[in-house]
């Protein structure tokens, strides 16, 4: 068994692990990363990039079809094979040579295999051939092992060979009929993608569509999915799944309660759904089952709880050992998004360097070594059509947090820039104002091509820019961003 010592050892070479190691090396430490599959992680090969590639061509086609003059130039239908081929290239054909080359250029050592913590600051790596390597960290071990799809205990589900987000992202053919269990982000994006690629899609959205977002956003996306031919069954809950000998999957749905877009509640249709594939998209589970957590007194299979500088906390609420164990990204369950995980990674890499060098730790709110934005300023774009772009708190979440709020809504389609952007542009914007501090604590946009508008709102929320100063941030005419002015005018001066 070979042995190596580094300043920092990172478990998992997803986007988060890569960034932790990079920051540590940039700070003058040595770092090794352990990866059991592909360097680049879920995001690169089975999540963010391939799914967005599946969605993009249809969005461009929709945009062209909404404009006279351009519409006439669209003479055919979407070419699903070409979309899948473009997706393949965005998943780097499921090869990680490019990212391995980047690790080398960044001075990060790579050990391939399953990493397990065996004792304080010590990790054992078991390669595919069974060979073992022991790695010892001088300063820190960082768990960045991410998450996997959660499969609920549903009679018949596992035998029916369901798709998870991985199979949906990497499919080699478009199924004729696709059933989706779930109504969250993966379910909504994949319903949008596969409906556009030609599948007949049925969504069993037990808890509604995008229930974490402002209600108007989920309603607009539900409406749009239905306009695109998706059967959205709000309130319907899958009770059992069976794949017969012909390959057809039958999902029996229990009756539920449906709340329609006007808020009217009624009994939801149970019954059966038939499909060629069933995608299960009901959330994630942490990749901590087999990483040796028991060796340090933690529970295998659990999400890792962390303090402000992302050190893993033990059952007694204090950092494990002398604070040598950190967790960043999906695995700490703070925010399951790539950009937010990478933000944590920068804080973790830098704080490990600071502690190693005996420098001051800046762990006050918005300090260099903490991920304060995770608490109340998380931006997210859901790439449905229309897109949902949001940052910070919804009106309901702000109220629940005890903030005295005023909610301002504006019809996005009524902005001059929107009507130019697309004929029949439909959308809505909401800003949630903290009335005591006169700053924005939440912002949501739902409408075509709103993704790129989000960052202005993120800066306003993170910067806690006072509303009276925002009046001086004048949006250009005629852009969709003029909604900022309209929202301020509606709020009043
Ligand atoms: C379908 C889908 C679409 C998404 N789209 C977006 C999006 O558009 N934008 C966005 O911001 N987020 C998106 N996300 C979320 C995003 O994918 C995750 O937040 C992100 O991948 C988390 O990064 P991570 O590095 O923490 O974990 P991962 O990307 O999961 O990487 C963890 C790595 O650790 C490795 N690993 C695990 N255990 C071990 C071990 N014991 N030893 C060695 N290696 C190990 C894994 O093989 C993996 O490579 C999406 C998620 C899904 C499922
Ligand atoms: N564009 C993006 O930013 C993007 C895209 C995809 C995924 N992601 C991230 O990946 C993570 C996983 O996405 P996801 O869609 O799997 O999770 P999610 O948490 O967004 O949605 C899961 C949904 O399933 C529902 N649900 C839970 N158990 C259920 C059950 N037994 N039957 C029916 N419905 C059930 C929940 O109410 C929830 O609405 C999310 O945190 C998300 O932020 C981000």
């Amino acid at each position: 068994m070979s042995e190596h010592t580094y300043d920092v050892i990172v478990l998992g070479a997803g986007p988060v692990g890569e960034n932790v190691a990079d920051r540590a090396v940039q700070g003058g430490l040595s770092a090794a990363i352990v990866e059991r599959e592909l360097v680049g992680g879920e995001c690169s090969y089975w999540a963010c990039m391939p799914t967005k590639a599946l969605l993009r061509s249809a969005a461009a086609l929709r945009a062209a079809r909404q404009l006279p003059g351009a519409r006439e130039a669209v003479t055919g239908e979407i070419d699903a094979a070409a979309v899948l081929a473009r997706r393949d290239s965005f998943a780097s054909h499921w090869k990680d040579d490019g990212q391995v080359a980047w690790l080398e250029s960044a001075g990060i050592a790579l050990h391939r295999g399953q990493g397990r913590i065996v004792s304080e600051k010590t990790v054992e790596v078991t390669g595919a051939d069974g060979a073992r390597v022991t790695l010892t960290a001088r300063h820190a071990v960082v768990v960045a092992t991410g998450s996997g799809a959660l499969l609920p205990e549903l009679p018949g589900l596992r035998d029916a060979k369901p798709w998870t987000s991985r199979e949906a992202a990497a499919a080699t053919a478009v199924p004729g009929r696709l059933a989706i269990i779930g109504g969250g982000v993966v379910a909504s994006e994949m319903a949008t993608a596969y409906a556009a690629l030609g599948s007949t899609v049925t969504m069993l959205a037990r808890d509604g569509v995008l229930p974490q977002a402002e209600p108007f956003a989920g309603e607009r996306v539900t409406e749009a999915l239905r306009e695109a031919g998706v059967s959205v069954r709000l309130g319907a809950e899958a009770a059992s799944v069976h794949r017969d000998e012909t390959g057809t999957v039958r999902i029996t749905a229990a009756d539920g309660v449906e709340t329609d877009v006007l808020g009217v509640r009624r009994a939801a249709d149970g019954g059966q759904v038939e499909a060629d594939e069933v995608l299960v998209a009901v959330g994630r589970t942490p990749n901590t089952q087999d990483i040796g957590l028991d060796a340090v007194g933690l529970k295998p299979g659990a999400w890792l709880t962390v303090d402000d500088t992302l050190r893993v906390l033990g059952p007694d609420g204090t950092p494990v050992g002398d604070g040598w164990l950190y967790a960043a990204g999906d695995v700490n369950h703070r925010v399951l998004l790539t950009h937010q995980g990478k933000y944590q990674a920068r804080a973790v890499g830098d704080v490990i360097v600071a502690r190693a060098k005996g420098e001051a730790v800046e762990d006050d709110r918005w300090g260099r070594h903490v991920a304060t934005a995770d608490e109340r300023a998380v931006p997210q774009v859901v790439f449905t059509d229309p897109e949902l772009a949001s940052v910070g708190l919804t009106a309901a979440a702000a109220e629940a947090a005890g903030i005295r709020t005023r909610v301002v809504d504006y019809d996005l389609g009524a902005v001059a820039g929107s009507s130019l952007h697309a004929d029949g542009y439909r959308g809505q914007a909401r800003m949630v104002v903290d009335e005591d501090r006169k700053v924005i604590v939440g912002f949501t946009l739902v409408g075509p091509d709103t993704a790129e508008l989000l960052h202005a709102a993120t800066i306003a929320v993170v910067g806690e820019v006072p509303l009276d100063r925002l009046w001086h941030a004048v949006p250009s005419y005629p852009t969709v961003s003029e909604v900022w002015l309209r929202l301020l005018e509606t709020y009043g001066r």
Side-chain angles (χ1 to χ4, degrees), residues 12-17 34-38 41-43 46-48 51-52 113-115 144-147 165 186 284 287 291 328-330 336-339 383:
V16 178
V34 184
E35 175 54 52
R36 66 180 181 190
E37 277 187 282
L38 295 176
E42 205 70 16
C43 182
W46 298 284
C48 327
T51 57
K52 267 76 254 179
Q114 174 82 17
T145 50
S147 67
S165 50
V186 171
R284 312 286 294 170
N287 289 333
I291 61 165
D330 277 16
L336 282 74
L337 292 171
T338 292
H339 46 274
F383 291 84

mmCIF file of all heavy atoms in Angstrom, residues 12-17 34-38 41-43 46-48 51-52 113-115 144-147 165 186 284 287 291 328-330 336-339 383, ligand 1:
data_model
loop_
_atom_site.group_PDB
_atom_site.id
_atom_site.type_symbol
_atom_site.label_atom_id
_atom_site.label_comp_id
_atom_site.label_asym_id
_atom_site.label_seq_id
_atom_site.Cartn_x
_atom_site.Cartn_y
_atom_site.Cartn_z
ATOM 1 N N GLY A 12 -13.974 13.883 -3.556
ATOM 2 C CA GLY A 12 -14.975 14.249 -4.551
ATOM 3 C C GLY A 12 -14.483 15.361 -5.449
ATOM 4 O O GLY A 12 -14.173 16.450 -4.978
ATOM 5 N N ALA A 13 -14.400 15.061 -6.767
ATOM 6 C CA ALA A 13 -13.917 16.066 -7.724
ATOM 7 C C ALA A 13 -15.057 16.628 -8.558
ATOM 8 O O ALA A 13 -14.968 16.757 -9.774
ATOM 9 C CB ALA A 13 -12.838 15.466 -8.625
ATOM 10 N N GLY A 14 -16.165 16.937 -7.896
ATOM 11 C CA GLY A 14 -17.221 17.692 -8.568
ATOM 12 C C GLY A 14 -16.804 19.148 -8.649
ATOM 13 O O GLY A 14 -15.660 19.499 -8.294
ATOM 14 N N PRO A 15 -17.709 20.024 -9.084
ATOM 15 C CA PRO A 15 -17.342 21.439 -9.192
ATOM 16 C C PRO A 15 -16.866 22.013 -7.857
ATOM 17 O O PRO A 15 -15.994 22.872 -7.829
ATOM 18 C CB PRO A 15 -18.649 22.115 -9.634
ATOM 19 C CG PRO A 15 -19.740 21.119 -9.390
ATOM 20 C CD PRO A 15 -19.107 19.773 -9.477
ATOM 21 N N VAL A 16 -17.423 21.512 -6.772
ATOM 22 C CA VAL A 16 -17.085 22.062 -5.456
ATOM 23 C C VAL A 16 -15.705 21.581 -5.012
ATOM 24 O O VAL A 16 -14.841 22.390 -4.633
ATOM 25 C CB VAL A 16 -18.185 21.682 -4.437
ATOM 26 C CG1 VAL A 16 -17.828 22.189 -3.062
ATOM 27 C CG2 VAL A 16 -19.535 22.243 -4.902
ATOM 28 N N GLY A 17 -15.477 20.281 -5.092
ATOM 29 C CA GLY A 17 -14.177 19.744 -4.695
ATOM 30 C C GLY A 17 -13.048 20.360 -5.503
ATOM 31 O O GLY A 17 -12.001 20.731 -4.948
ATOM 32 N N VAL A 34 -9.730 13.186 -4.507
ATOM 33 C CA VAL A 34 -10.047 11.768 -4.702
ATOM 34 C C VAL A 34 -11.363 11.680 -5.468
ATOM 35 O O VAL A 34 -12.343 12.308 -5.083
ATOM 36 C CB VAL A 34 -10.210 11.058 -3.331
ATOM 37 C CG1 VAL A 34 -10.453 9.567 -3.528
ATOM 38 C CG2 VAL A 34 -8.993 11.296 -2.452
ATOM 39 N N GLU A 35 -11.379 10.925 -6.562
ATOM 40 C CA GLU A 35 -12.608 10.824 -7.361
ATOM 41 C C GLU A 35 -12.844 9.370 -7.776
ATOM 42 O O GLU A 35 -11.955 8.707 -8.286
ATOM 43 C CB GLU A 35 -12.503 11.736 -8.595
ATOM 44 C CG GLU A 35 -13.669 11.636 -9.568
ATOM 45 C CD GLU A 35 -15.047 11.854 -8.922
ATOM 46 O OE1 GLU A 35 -15.253 12.855 -8.242
ATOM 47 O OE2 GLU A 35 -15.906 10.959 -9.102
ATOM 48 N N ARG A 36 -14.093 8.922 -7.560
ATOM 49 C CA ARG A 36 -14.409 7.518 -7.880
ATOM 50 C C ARG A 36 -15.023 7.354 -9.265
ATOM 51 O O ARG A 36 -15.067 6.246 -9.794
ATOM 52 C CB ARG A 36 -15.360 6.959 -6.834
ATOM 53 C CG ARG A 36 -16.730 7.618 -6.842
ATOM 54 C CD ARG A 36 -17.659 7.046 -5.800
ATOM 55 N NE ARG A 36 -18.962 7.689 -5.862
ATOM 56 C CZ ARG A 36 -19.909 7.520 -4.959
ATOM 57 N NH1 ARG A 36 -19.710 6.746 -3.916
ATOM 58 N NH2 ARG A 36 -21.057 8.124 -5.086
ATOM 59 N N GLU A 37 -15.532 8.459 -9.842
ATOM 60 C CA GLU A 37 -16.118 8.357 -11.190
ATOM 61 C C GLU A 37 -15.390 9.309 -12.139
ATOM 62 O O GLU A 37 -14.237 9.072 -12.470
ATOM 63 C CB GLU A 37 -17.618 8.665 -11.131
ATOM 64 C CG GLU A 37 -18.459 7.470 -10.732
ATOM 65 C CD GLU A 37 -19.943 7.769 -10.845
ATOM 66 O OE1 GLU A 37 -20.480 8.448 -9.950
ATOM 67 O OE2 GLU A 37 -20.573 7.328 -11.824
ATOM 68 N N LEU A 38 -16.079 10.388 -12.529
ATOM 69 C CA LEU A 38 -15.466 11.309 -13.482
ATOM 70 C C LEU A 38 -15.125 12.633 -12.813
ATOM 71 O O LEU A 38 -15.953 13.199 -12.086
ATOM 72 C CB LEU A 38 -16.434 11.591 -14.642
ATOM 73 C CG LEU A 38 -16.780 10.397 -15.541
ATOM 74 C CD1 LEU A 38 -17.827 10.807 -16.578
ATOM 75 C CD2 LEU A 38 -15.522 9.899 -16.252
ATOM 76 N N GLY A 41 -17.691 15.731 -11.796
ATOM 77 C CA GLY A 41 -18.861 15.443 -10.972
ATOM 78 C C GLY A 41 -20.188 15.458 -11.699
ATOM 79 O O GLY A 41 -20.260 15.488 -12.932
ATOM 80 N N GLU A 42 -21.244 15.419 -10.914
ATOM 81 C CA GLU A 42 -22.611 15.314 -11.417
ATOM 82 C C GLU A 42 -22.936 16.445 -12.393
ATOM 83 O O GLU A 42 -23.516 16.235 -13.455
ATOM 84 C CB GLU A 42 -23.552 15.363 -10.206
ATOM 85 C CG GLU A 42 -24.882 14.704 -10.419
ATOM 86 C CD GLU A 42 -24.776 13.183 -10.522
ATOM 87 O OE1 GLU A 42 -23.749 12.590 -10.144
ATOM 88 O OE2 GLU A 42 -25.746 12.597 -11.024
ATOM 89 N N CYS A 43 -22.550 17.656 -11.993
ATOM 90 C CA CYS A 43 -22.906 18.858 -12.752
ATOM 91 C C CYS A 43 -22.448 18.765 -14.213
ATOM 92 O O CYS A 43 -23.200 19.072 -15.131
ATOM 93 C CB CYS A 43 -22.261 20.054 -12.066
ATOM 94 S SG CYS A 43 -22.640 21.623 -12.818
ATOM 95 N N TRP A 46 -24.071 14.787 -15.784
ATOM 96 C CA TRP A 46 -25.441 14.274 -15.617
ATOM 97 C C TRP A 46 -26.397 15.306 -15.038
ATOM 98 O O TRP A 46 -27.483 14.944 -14.611
ATOM 99 C CB TRP A 46 -25.428 13.050 -14.693
ATOM 100 C CG TRP A 46 -24.634 11.913 -15.228
ATOM 101 C CD1 TRP A 46 -25.005 11.062 -16.232
ATOM 102 C CD2 TRP A 46 -23.334 11.485 -14.802
ATOM 103 N NE1 TRP A 46 -24.015 10.141 -16.451
ATOM 104 C CE2 TRP A 46 -22.977 10.369 -15.587
ATOM 105 C CE3 TRP A 46 -22.439 11.923 -13.811
ATOM 106 C CZ2 TRP A 46 -21.765 9.697 -15.428
ATOM 107 C CZ3 TRP A 46 -21.230 11.262 -13.664
ATOM 108 C CH2 TRP A 46 -20.908 10.165 -14.463
ATOM 109 N N ALA A 47 -25.980 16.566 -14.947
ATOM 110 C CA ALA A 47 -26.878 17.531 -14.298
ATOM 111 C C ALA A 47 -26.892 18.852 -15.070
ATOM 112 O O ALA A 47 -27.453 18.913 -16.169
ATOM 113 C CB ALA A 47 -26.503 17.703 -12.829
ATOM 114 N N CYS A 48 -26.254 19.882 -14.523
ATOM 115 C CA CYS A 48 -26.392 21.240 -15.082
ATOM 116 C C CYS A 48 -26.164 21.306 -16.590
ATOM 117 O O CYS A 48 -27.056 21.733 -17.343
ATOM 118 C CB CYS A 48 -25.393 22.204 -14.434
ATOM 119 S SG CYS A 48 -25.024 21.877 -12.722
ATOM 120 N N THR A 51 -28.341 18.901 -19.103
ATOM 121 C CA THR A 51 -29.782 19.202 -19.099
ATOM 122 C C THR A 51 -30.056 20.550 -19.756
ATOM 123 O O THR A 51 -31.038 20.713 -20.464
ATOM 124 C CB THR A 51 -30.382 19.172 -17.674
ATOM 125 O OG1 THR A 51 -29.680 20.096 -16.841
ATOM 126 C CG2 THR A 51 -30.321 17.780 -17.063
ATOM 127 N N LYS A 52 -29.153 21.490 -19.528
ATOM 128 C CA LYS A 52 -29.365 22.789 -20.174
ATOM 129 C C LYS A 52 -29.169 22.672 -21.682
ATOM 130 O O LYS A 52 -29.849 23.353 -22.463
ATOM 131 C CB LYS A 52 -28.435 23.853 -19.595
ATOM 132 C CG LYS A 52 -29.055 24.640 -18.461
ATOM 133 C CD LYS A 52 -29.129 23.944 -17.157
ATOM 134 C CE LYS A 52 -30.443 23.449 -16.703
ATOM 135 N NZ LYS A 52 -30.411 22.740 -15.410
ATOM 136 N N GLY A 113 -10.532 6.573 -7.245
ATOM 137 C CA GLY A 113 -11.048 5.477 -6.431
ATOM 138 C C GLY A 113 -12.035 5.986 -5.397
ATOM 139 O O GLY A 113 -12.309 7.190 -5.320
ATOM 140 N N GLN A 114 -12.559 5.036 -4.622
ATOM 141 C CA GLN A 114 -13.488 5.384 -3.554
ATOM 142 C C GLN A 114 -12.690 5.835 -2.337
ATOM 143 O O GLN A 114 -11.838 5.091 -1.849
ATOM 144 C CB GLN A 114 -14.335 4.145 -3.202
ATOM 145 C CG GLN A 114 -15.250 4.285 -2.013
ATOM 146 C CD GLN A 114 -16.576 4.975 -2.358
ATOM 147 O OE1 GLN A 114 -16.952 5.073 -3.524
ATOM 148 N NE2 GLN A 114 -17.261 5.469 -1.352
ATOM 149 N N GLY A 115 -12.955 7.040 -1.866
ATOM 150 C CA GLY A 115 -12.241 7.544 -0.702
ATOM 151 C C GLY A 115 -13.031 7.295 0.576
ATOM 152 O O GLY A 115 -14.257 7.467 0.585
ATOM 153 N N ALA A 144 -16.571 16.638 -0.238
ATOM 154 C CA ALA A 144 -17.336 17.319 -1.305
ATOM 155 C C ALA A 144 -17.883 16.227 -2.217
ATOM 156 O O ALA A 144 -17.699 16.258 -3.435
ATOM 157 C CB ALA A 144 -16.429 18.286 -2.056
ATOM 158 N N THR A 145 -18.542 15.255 -1.585
ATOM 159 C CA THR A 145 -18.961 14.057 -2.325
ATOM 160 C C THR A 145 -20.343 14.197 -2.968
ATOM 161 O O THR A 145 -20.821 13.262 -3.608
ATOM 162 C CB THR A 145 -18.944 12.817 -1.403
ATOM 163 O OG1 THR A 145 -19.670 13.131 -0.203
ATOM 164 C CG2 THR A 145 -17.534 12.420 -1.033
ATOM 165 N N GLY A 146 -20.997 15.332 -2.778
ATOM 166 C CA GLY A 146 -22.219 15.606 -3.517
ATOM 167 C C GLY A 146 -23.420 14.789 -3.093
ATOM 168 O O GLY A 146 -23.499 14.294 -1.954
ATOM 169 N N SER A 147 -24.338 14.631 -4.032
ATOM 170 C CA SER A 147 -25.593 13.935 -3.732
ATOM 171 C C SER A 147 -25.994 13.080 -4.920
ATOM 172 O O SER A 147 -25.501 13.258 -6.031
ATOM 173 C CB SER A 147 -26.693 14.964 -3.435
ATOM 174 O OG SER A 147 -26.997 15.698 -4.604
ATOM 175 N N SER A 165 -32.427 11.446 -12.574
ATOM 176 C CA SER A 165 -31.954 12.599 -13.355
ATOM 177 C C SER A 165 -30.788 12.195 -14.264
ATOM 178 O O SER A 165 -30.617 12.766 -15.339
ATOM 179 C CB SER A 165 -31.539 13.729 -12.422
ATOM 180 O OG SER A 165 -30.665 13.247 -11.419
ATOM 181 N N VAL A 186 -36.010 19.469 -11.163
ATOM 182 C CA VAL A 186 -35.638 18.478 -12.182
ATOM 183 C C VAL A 186 -36.875 18.080 -12.985
ATOM 184 O O VAL A 186 -36.847 18.034 -14.222
ATOM 185 C CB VAL A 186 -35.000 17.229 -11.525
ATOM 186 C CG1 VAL A 186 -34.821 16.115 -12.550
ATOM 187 C CG2 VAL A 186 -33.663 17.585 -10.886
ATOM 188 N N ARG A 284 -32.908 14.655 -3.448
ATOM 189 C CA ARG A 284 -31.565 14.078 -3.445
ATOM 190 C C ARG A 284 -31.237 13.410 -2.123
ATOM 191 O O ARG A 284 -31.875 13.662 -1.098
ATOM 192 C CB ARG A 284 -30.529 15.193 -3.691
ATOM 193 C CG ARG A 284 -30.833 16.114 -4.836
ATOM 194 C CD ARG A 284 -30.614 15.483 -6.187
ATOM 195 N NE ARG A 284 -29.230 15.162 -6.465
ATOM 196 C CZ ARG A 284 -28.849 14.424 -7.525
ATOM 197 N NH1 ARG A 284 -29.745 13.948 -8.372
ATOM 198 N NH2 ARG A 284 -27.578 14.176 -7.727
ATOM 199 N N ASN A 287 -24.185 11.695 -0.678
ATOM 200 C CA ASN A 287 -23.203 10.623 -0.942
ATOM 201 C C ASN A 287 -22.271 10.492 0.265
ATOM 202 O O ASN A 287 -21.098 10.862 0.223
ATOM 203 C CB ASN A 287 -22.383 10.949 -2.197
ATOM 204 C CG ASN A 287 -23.207 10.837 -3.464
ATOM 205 O OD1 ASN A 287 -24.178 10.087 -3.533
ATOM 206 N ND2 ASN A 287 -22.835 11.610 -4.479
ATOM 207 N N ILE A 291 -18.278 6.626 3.131
ATOM 208 C CA ILE A 291 -17.071 7.478 3.150
ATOM 209 C C ILE A 291 -16.389 7.443 4.519
ATOM 210 O O ILE A 291 -15.570 8.298 4.833
ATOM 211 C CB ILE A 291 -17.371 8.931 2.719
ATOM 212 C CG1 ILE A 291 -18.382 9.617 3.672
ATOM 213 C CG2 ILE A 291 -17.868 8.994 1.286
ATOM 214 C CD1 ILE A 291 -18.422 11.124 3.508
ATOM 215 N N ALA A 328 -18.396 20.793 1.948
ATOM 216 C CA ALA A 328 -18.889 21.864 1.082
ATOM 217 C C ALA A 328 -19.707 21.273 -0.060
ATOM 218 O O ALA A 328 -19.521 20.122 -0.440
ATOM 219 C CB ALA A 328 -17.707 22.670 0.524
ATOM 220 N N GLY A 329 -20.614 22.084 -0.588
ATOM 221 C CA GLY A 329 -21.443 21.655 -1.723
ATOM 222 C C GLY A 329 -22.689 20.916 -1.271
ATOM 223 O O GLY A 329 -23.103 21.001 -0.109
ATOM 224 N N ASP A 330 -23.258 20.154 -2.185
ATOM 225 C CA ASP A 330 -24.520 19.464 -1.905
ATOM 226 C C ASP A 330 -24.497 18.717 -0.577
ATOM 227 O O ASP A 330 -25.499 18.657 0.140
ATOM 228 C CB ASP A 330 -24.825 18.430 -3.014
ATOM 229 C CG ASP A 330 -25.491 19.049 -4.236
ATOM 230 O OD1 ASP A 330 -25.452 20.293 -4.369
ATOM 231 O OD2 ASP A 330 -26.034 18.301 -5.067
ATOM 232 N N LEU A 336 -28.426 23.243 -2.701
ATOM 233 C CA LEU A 336 -28.003 22.232 -3.681
ATOM 234 C C LEU A 336 -27.896 22.847 -5.074
ATOM 235 O O LEU A 336 -28.667 22.535 -5.975
ATOM 236 C CB LEU A 336 -28.965 21.030 -3.653
ATOM 237 C CG LEU A 336 -28.736 20.054 -2.482
ATOM 238 C CD1 LEU A 336 -29.224 20.635 -1.171
ATOM 239 C CD2 LEU A 336 -29.440 18.738 -2.737
ATOM 240 N N LEU A 337 -26.936 23.734 -5.226
ATOM 241 C CA LEU A 337 -26.715 24.398 -6.511
ATOM 242 C C LEU A 337 -25.214 24.525 -6.753
ATOM 243 O O LEU A 337 -24.458 24.823 -5.814
ATOM 244 C CB LEU A 337 -27.328 25.803 -6.507
ATOM 245 C CG LEU A 337 -28.853 25.867 -6.469
ATOM 246 C CD1 LEU A 337 -29.319 27.297 -6.241
ATOM 247 C CD2 LEU A 337 -29.446 25.308 -7.764
ATOM 248 N N THR A 338 -24.808 24.366 -8.004
ATOM 249 C CA THR A 338 -23.389 24.415 -8.321
ATOM 250 C C THR A 338 -22.741 25.741 -7.939
ATOM 251 O O THR A 338 -21.691 25.771 -7.288
ATOM 252 C CB THR A 338 -23.191 24.149 -9.831
ATOM 253 O OG1 THR A 338 -23.548 22.797 -10.067
ATOM 254 C CG2 THR A 338 -21.753 24.379 -10.258
ATOM 255 N N HIS A 339 -23.378 26.846 -8.359
ATOM 256 C CA HIS A 339 -22.719 28.133 -8.114
ATOM 257 C C HIS A 339 -22.582 28.405 -6.621
ATOM 258 O O HIS A 339 -21.586 28.975 -6.173
ATOM 259 C CB HIS A 339 -23.450 29.286 -8.813
ATOM 260 C CG HIS A 339 -24.933 29.278 -8.656
ATOM 261 N ND1 HIS A 339 -25.749 28.565 -9.488
ATOM 262 C CD2 HIS A 339 -25.760 29.865 -7.756
ATOM 263 C CE1 HIS A 339 -27.021 28.739 -9.112
ATOM 264 N NE2 HIS A 339 -27.044 29.520 -8.051
ATOM 265 N N PHE A 383 -34.643 26.484 -15.745
ATOM 266 C CA PHE A 383 -34.642 26.694 -17.195
ATOM 267 C C PHE A 383 -35.862 26.071 -17.874
ATOM 268 O O PHE A 383 -35.747 25.387 -18.884
ATOM 269 C CB PHE A 383 -33.335 26.186 -17.793
ATOM 270 C CG PHE A 383 -32.149 27.024 -17.392
ATOM 271 C CD1 PHE A 383 -31.497 26.802 -16.185
ATOM 272 C CD2 PHE A 383 -31.702 28.067 -18.192
ATOM 273 C CE1 PHE A 383 -30.416 27.576 -15.785
ATOM 274 C CE2 PHE A 383 -30.624 28.857 -17.809
ATOM 275 C CZ PHE A 383 -29.979 28.609 -16.598
HETATM 276 C C1 LIG B 1 -30.629 17.155 -13.265
HETATM 277 C C2 LIG B 1 -29.934 18.211 -12.464
HETATM 278 C C3 LIG B 1 -29.727 19.449 -13.016
HETATM 279 C C4 LIG B 1 -29.090 20.436 -12.279
HETATM 280 N N1 LIG B 1 -28.936 21.665 -12.844
HETATM 281 C C5 LIG B 1 -28.334 22.633 -12.152
HETATM 282 C C6 LIG B 1 -28.159 23.925 -12.713
HETATM 283 O O1 LIG B 1 -28.571 24.197 -13.836
HETATM 284 N N2 LIG B 1 -27.522 24.863 -11.991
HETATM 285 C C7 LIG B 1 -27.058 24.611 -10.725
HETATM 286 O O2 LIG B 1 -26.484 25.502 -10.105
HETATM 287 N N3 LIG B 1 -27.205 23.390 -10.160
HETATM 288 C C8 LIG B 1 -27.833 22.411 -10.837
HETATM 289 N N4 LIG B 1 -27.970 21.172 -10.281
HETATM 290 C C9 LIG B 1 -27.360 20.917 -8.969
HETATM 291 C C10 LIG B 1 -25.865 20.586 -9.147
HETATM 292 O O3 LIG B 1 -25.706 19.508 -10.030
HETATM 293 C C11 LIG B 1 -25.229 20.266 -7.803
HETATM 294 O O4 LIG B 1 -25.542 21.283 -6.882
HETATM 295 C C12 LIG B 1 -23.713 20.151 -7.948
HETATM 296 O O5 LIG B 1 -23.367 19.126 -8.850
HETATM 297 C C13 LIG B 1 -23.086 19.890 -6.591
HETATM 298 O O6 LIG B 1 -21.700 19.812 -6.731
HETATM 299 P P1 LIG B 1 -20.816 18.955 -5.724
HETATM 300 O O7 LIG B 1 -19.405 19.133 -6.171
HETATM 301 O O8 LIG B 1 -21.196 19.268 -4.332
HETATM 302 O O9 LIG B 1 -21.267 17.448 -5.957
HETATM 303 P P2 LIG B 1 -21.240 16.501 -7.277
HETATM 304 O O10 LIG B 1 -21.324 17.286 -8.521
HETATM 305 O O11 LIG B 1 -22.266 15.468 -6.986
HETATM 306 O O12 LIG B 1 -19.791 15.870 -7.225
HETATM 307 C C14 LIG B 1 -19.397 14.992 -6.208
HETATM 308 C C15 LIG B 1 -18.296 14.103 -6.726
HETATM 309 O O13 LIG B 1 -17.826 13.307 -5.668
HETATM 310 C C16 LIG B 1 -17.572 11.990 -6.143
HETATM 311 N N5 LIG B 1 -17.618 11.091 -4.988
HETATM 312 C C17 LIG B 1 -18.683 10.838 -4.188
HETATM 313 N N6 LIG B 1 -18.301 10.023 -3.189
HETATM 314 C C18 LIG B 1 -16.991 9.754 -3.355
HETATM 315 C C19 LIG B 1 -16.032 8.989 -2.633
HETATM 316 N N7 LIG B 1 -16.347 8.349 -1.524
HETATM 317 N N8 LIG B 1 -14.776 8.944 -3.094
HETATM 318 C C20 LIG B 1 -14.436 9.607 -4.227
HETATM 319 N N9 LIG B 1 -15.283 10.352 -4.931
HETATM 320 C C21 LIG B 1 -16.548 10.442 -4.505
HETATM 321 C C22 LIG B 1 -18.683 11.772 -7.154
HETATM 322 O O14 LIG B 1 -18.325 10.746 -8.058
HETATM 323 C C23 LIG B 1 -18.749 13.138 -7.822
HETATM 324 O O15 LIG B 1 -17.876 13.210 -8.911
HETATM 325 C C24 LIG B 1 -28.627 20.167 -10.973
HETATM 326 C C25 LIG B 1 -28.825 18.907 -10.407
HETATM 327 C C26 LIG B 1 -29.477 17.932 -11.141
HETATM 328 C C27 LIG B 1 -29.682 16.582 -10.525
#
